DNA sequence: CTGGTGACCATTA
DNA sequence: TTAATGGCCACCA
């Protein structure tokens, strides 16, 4: 592919994919990484999310880890924000976990 | 280029 | 269940 891709473009690509996640659905870092062409680089997705600017039109809260859980710690401010946003989309937490059978993207 | 870090993942104990 | 380890690769100083 084009090697003129700038490093930041990778983030843009990841954010764009996340932006395609419909309301009421969730996706894992691994899923997004695979779609973005980063087969085994789920960490990059997380890194891109942490680098995400405030006020961005990206539903980053719909991105969770492989266990269907929020990767952040409970003492982290964003943990509560993400949980609140997800619940706002009719997504139900089952003991701090999300059921992919019901809310999994592309599923 | 080197070293450190990370909103991950899977395995092992 | 939690904790530690290795692997993967991009970003930053």
């Amino acid at each position: 592919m084009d090697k003129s891709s700038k490093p930041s473009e990778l983030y843009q690509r990841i954010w764009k994919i996340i932006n395609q996640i419909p309301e009421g659905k969730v996706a894992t870092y691994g899923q997004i990484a695979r779609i973005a062409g980063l087969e085994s680089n789920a960490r990059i997705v997380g890194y891109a999310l942490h680098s995400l600017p405030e006020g961005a039109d990206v539903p980053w809260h719909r991105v969770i880890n492989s266990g269907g859980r929020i990767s952040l710690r409970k003492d982290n401010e964003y943990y509560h924000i993400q949980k609140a946003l997800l619940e706002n989309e009719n997504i139900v937490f089952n003991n701090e976990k999300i059921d992919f059978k019901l809310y999994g993207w592309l599923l």
Side-chain angles (χ1 to χ4, degrees), chain A residues 12-80:
Chain A
Q12 295 279 334
R13 187 153 64 244
I14 293 172
W15 299 338
K16 203 169 189 177
I17 293 167
I18 297 171
N19 218 337
Q20 292 169 54
I21 302 176
E23 186 177 313
K25 302 263 184 170
V26 293
T28 67
Y29 293 94
Q31 275 281 328
I32 294 169
R34 189 158 45 168
I35 296 169
L38 305 167
E39 299 290 325
S40 20
N41 304 8
R43 313 185 82 176
I44 309 303
V45 178
Y47 201 46
L49 262 54
H50 197 219
S51 201
L52 190 64
E54 299 179 21
D57 296 325
V58 179
W60 58 268
H61 53 266
R62 293 182 187 143
V63 184
I64 54 184
N65 67 12
S66 63
R69 306 223 218 131
I70 299 174
S71 301
L72 305 168
R73 296 198 174 175
K74 284 188 254 173
D75 61 309
N76 190 309
E77 177 186 6
Y78 285 94
Y79 178 90
H80 302 286

Side-chain angles (χ1 to χ4, degrees), chain A residues 66-105:
Chain A
S66 63
R69 306 223 218 131
I70 299 174
S71 301
L72 305 168
R73 296 198 174 175
K74 284 188 254 173
D75 61 309
N76 190 309
E77 177 186 6
Y78 285 94
Y79 178 90
H80 302 286
I81 295 175
Q82 179 166 20
K83 187 166 180 257
L85 287 169
L86 289 172
E87 290 180 329
N88 191 37
E89 309 249 324
N90 291 323
I91 295 176
V92 179
F93 277 78
N94 192 323
N95 191 7
E96 305 301 309
K97 287 175 288 201
I98 296 177
D99 191 343
F100 282 108
K101 301 264 189 189
L102 302 175
Y103 309 107
W105 187 37

